[in-house]
Amino acid sequence: MSEFQVIAGNPAPTPGLVLRVGEDTNRYLRLTHVFSDCIYAMWVGEPEGARYARRPTSISLSELRALAGTASSAWGKLVLPAALTNEPTKGSERSTQLETAWHLVEPLIKVFNRKTSLSRHSFTALIRQRAEETETSQTTLLRTILRYYYFGGTRLALLPLPRGVKPGKASYPSAAGGNYAPPKRRGRQSALAEELGRNQFIVRAEDIEDMVTCFRRLLTKGPAFKSTAHEEYLAGEFRRRHTAIYARYMRGEVPEPVTARQFRYYIDEHLRVSDELARNMRTHQRNPGYLGSVRAAGPCEIYEIDATGGRIHLVSHDDPPVLVGKPTIYFLIDRWSRFVVSAYLSLRSASYEEVRHALLIAFTSREARFKRLGINITDARWPVGRMPAVICPDRGSDFMSDAMEQSVVNDLRIDMTPLPPLCPDGKAIVERLIREIKRRMAASGIQGAYADRPMDPRTKRTARKAEACAVRTLADAYRLLVDIIEDHNNRPHRTLRRRRILTQAGVAPTPRDAYLWGLKNITGLRSAPLSEDDYHRLLLSTDKASIAKSVLRYKGRPYLPDNEPAAELARRSTGRAKSVDVKLDKTLPTEVWVPSDQGTWARFVMTEGTAQEIAGMSLDEEEALASRTSLLWARAEHEGRIARLTAKNEKRAPLRKGRSKAVTLPKAAHMAARAQETARMKEELVGKPPALRQEQPQTDDPTATADWARLEEEERLRNLALIRQHRNKR
């Protein structure tokens, strides 16, 4: 309870003065502004009542004199709480916090010294304008201003009061000890409290410091969201500080010890960063209300499709790697369940051929397709999609082409509902998915990725740095994309939480579960008219191949027959190559089909060795790098030929003059000469001087040269005599 000190006499009204009205010791009238014809005042009481303070209102001087004239009224002062009388140390965190708050409200304090600014409309409008200028919350700014006046216009009132305890609850242990009850966690419990028990973890000062450290670390690396930082904190700092609690949480024995709501609260309360790091802080922009304008009656009725440029720089598989630019990402999502049916990356320009691959990925097995790329995904974790009745694209050139209309509308019998111009919210679901995917790819920390579109010098510099450190290939980016898609499909979605039909059926509000449940239990929807096999055939790409000597060759790679029609086609092939039309999925080139108007198509399968050669690369990626491959081949051949010609033109060391003609020795002498020559070569290799070779001093004496010539001639004659002697023995 605040202490009231009475002032004797009848003091003149001044700002900050308090009038006790009646016998109620918990209700006082504090003067905030004094003018010639009126005063402005607000009702005050206990310190914790500052949170619920109301705007100062006008009171005439006659009304003020009437209130002060009652027998139980008295003028006086309210003693400030102890926390507001402790001036913070200069340079401390509380001092910085105080200076920041004062800088925020000081212009308003000066404006409110004018009576016209204190009217109801002007008071609110000025606070709203200041909040927009400083990009702060209007509610927070209003409460800060009212707290300033509530405590008599002292700057220290801008500091937050320490949290106390609720009435009837045990206080926290003091530093001096004592028989106090241990602190208890307060606030609402998780919905899993009945299954996992109540959450008893209490956040302490060291935990808050860990949260701030974690989020600051992520901000130094680049743009970061608080939701992502919360998971990083649990997996990092919290795991190291509370190993046992984290282990129980991972085993599913206790609820989440630190919730995302708590993490955001403590970050907002204690994080202090520079302007440079503050630019990397990201927040979600939420709609003011749920409109539900984008509707579907059930799964597989309406799919939304869109393409976007990925914000990640990629390199090729070459050594050294070559920058190949940013990929184009295609997404196909079910409107009703928010289930991502397909995701496709390409280095080619947007076209119907790329849309065809996105559709093909949606309706075929995930395991067979992604196994070659080293992506650990199964059809159970990412179920194969069903053909929709309607596809909703925008008016991009790849979606509005004649080939798209002919194939999708006329051949596949799928209705298309293109959006009107300048209407991106008509497919808001896939647009939001794209925003979320880009955010999570940037937050993943993968090298070469960046978060913001290059619009100003800072974001352009960030994009250039990402390009400079790019080390990931198209397969690496695809692997990360599939992981994000799987997490999205298995994460609870707010829209599905509002579907009471799922709650009644006991279905988890995740896109995957909602999609699979809807396929089995929601009937009467518009459905695709053709079978899945028909759609698969119609979506395959058409190309040319050749067949000869029972082997089909496509793009220079051999394929062997895998069914009876293929074996018959191979048997009738000749030694001369014959051109045939083939159909294939270029993202899964391990098999090709030779279409036939009668019966089953002939199926050819790539040999195992050839499949290993292109492991981790689709034909589209290979074709995109074809020019680079040709350049590397030509460069290597050119350099090799130059090296060979250079070697041919080099001057060889001339033979030593005066060398006698080689002779043939007997077998024993021949073997001895071979051994001696080998020993001499070994000695040269290891750098040791020959044991039998004696270094002779060099001299310019002509007689010495004559002696050497005479000795050499004598040696030659002795060798000739030995040769003749051996010949005579034969």
Side-chain angles (χ1 to χ4, degrees), residues 165-469:
V165 296
K166 294 184 178 180
K169 299 291 184 179
S171 60
Y172 293 107
S174 63
N179 297 323
Y180 296 103
K184 296 181 180 180
R185 182 186 179 103
R186 299 183 179 90
R188 77 176 85 178
Q189 290 287 330
S190 169
L192 297 176
E194 296 182 359
E195 300 178 10
L196 303 178
R198 295 178 59 85
N199 188 359
Q200 302 295 343
F201 182 79
I202 297 177
V203 176
R204 302 187 183 275
E206 56 269 18
D207 299 311
I208 298 176
E209 185 178 354
D210 288 344
M211 297 179 198
V212 173
T213 301
C214 175
F215 195 50
R216 185 179 286 113
R217 183 183 72 250
L218 295 179
L219 291 177
T220 57
K221 295 181 180 179
F225 286 79
K226 295 174 186 175
S227 57
T228 305
H230 171 241
E231 297 179 358
E232 291 286 339
Y233 162 71
L234 290 178
E237 282 78 0
F238 184 86
R239 176 179 57 83
R240 290 189 289 269
R241 186 176 292 277
H242 306 283
T243 306
I245 299 177
Y246 181 80
R248 294 188 62 197
Y249 169 64
M250 295 301 293
R251 292 195 299 266
E253 299 176 359
V254 295
E256 191 174 47
V258 178
T259 64
R261 183 187 182 97
Q262 281 182 295
F263 184 83
R264 287 193 296 268
Y265 171 79
Y266 288 119
I267 288 296
D268 294 340
E269 187 74 15
H270 296 87
L271 181 66
R272 299 293 181 271
V273 294
S274 62
D275 293 341
E276 185 68 24
L277 292 182
R279 294 194 188 101
N280 292 333
M281 194 180 303
R282 299 291 187 267
T283 57
H284 293 288
Q285 296 180 356
R286 300 192 180 277
N287 294 328
Y290 175 69
L291 302 178
S293 58
V294 181
R295 299 180 179 177
C300 291
E301 183 186 32
I302 301 177
Y303 283 177
E304 295 184 6
I305 189 171
D306 199 6
T308 182
R311 292 176 186 169
I312 179 173
H313 292 276
L314 302 177
V315 299
S316 67
H317 284 83
D318 302 319
D319 189 15
V322 179
L323 281 170
V324 293
K326 296 173 290 185
T328 301
I329 311 177
Y330 286 84
F331 291 105
L332 192 66
I333 186 172
D334 178 60
R335 177 177 287 182
W336 184 81
S337 64
R338 274 51 173 182
F339 177 75
V340 180
V341 185
S342 175
Y344 171 62
L345 268 74
S346 175
L347 291 171
R348 287 172 167 258
S349 302
S351 65
Y352 167 68
E353 188 66 23
E354 306 308 303
V355 179
R356 178 201 297 267
H357 292 321
L359 296 175
L360 191 61
I361 290 173
F363 313 119
T364 53
S365 172
R366 321 287 187 184
E367 297 177 4
R369 183 170 307 279
F370 294 112
K371 182 179 180 181
R372 292 176 50 255
L373 296 177
I375 300 175
N376 182 22
I377 193 67
T378 62
D379 292 340
R381 289 157 49 195
W382 190 8
V384 178
R386 302 281 185 87
M387 272 290 175
V390 181
I391 290 182
C392 178
D394 57 17
R395 305 185 73 84
S397 59
D398 45 350
F399 301 124
M400 299 301 294
S401 62
D402 294 338
M404 182 76 173
E405 181 179 1
Q406 175 65 32
S407 300
V408 175
V409 179
N410 298 335
D411 296 342
L412 300 180
R413 311 298 299 169
I414 299 177
D415 293 339
M416 286 184 60
T417 58
L419 299 176
L422 305 177
C423 184
D425 54 347
K427 51 180 184 60
I429 296 173
V430 70
E431 294 288 354
R432 175 165 181 173
L433 172 69
I434 289 174
R435 184 191 71 179
E436 181 69 12
I437 294 297
K438 289 183 176 180
R439 178 186 75 84
R440 296 195 61 185
M441 291 188 75
S444 66
I446 186 172
Q447 292 175 304
Y450 58 98
D452 300 327
R453 180 185 300 176
M455 300 287 290
D456 51 53
R458 183 180 62 84
T459 53
K460 290 179 180 179
R461 182 170 62 252
T462 302
R464 289 195 298 269
K465 289 181 179 179
E467 181 179 5
C469 67

Side-chain angles (χ1 to χ4, degrees), residues 22-37:
E23 297 180 354
D24 190 356
T25 58
N26 293 325
R27 189 166 175 81
Y28 308 92
L29 188 67
R30 185 186 290 279
L31 308 187
T32 59
H33 300 81
V34 177
F35 301 102
S36 58
D37 57 343

Side-chain angles (χ1 to χ4, degrees), residues 565-578:
E568 179 64 21
L569 186 62
R571 187 184 63 80
R572 291 189 283 106
S573 63
T574 62
R576 184 176 181 180
K578 178 183 177 182

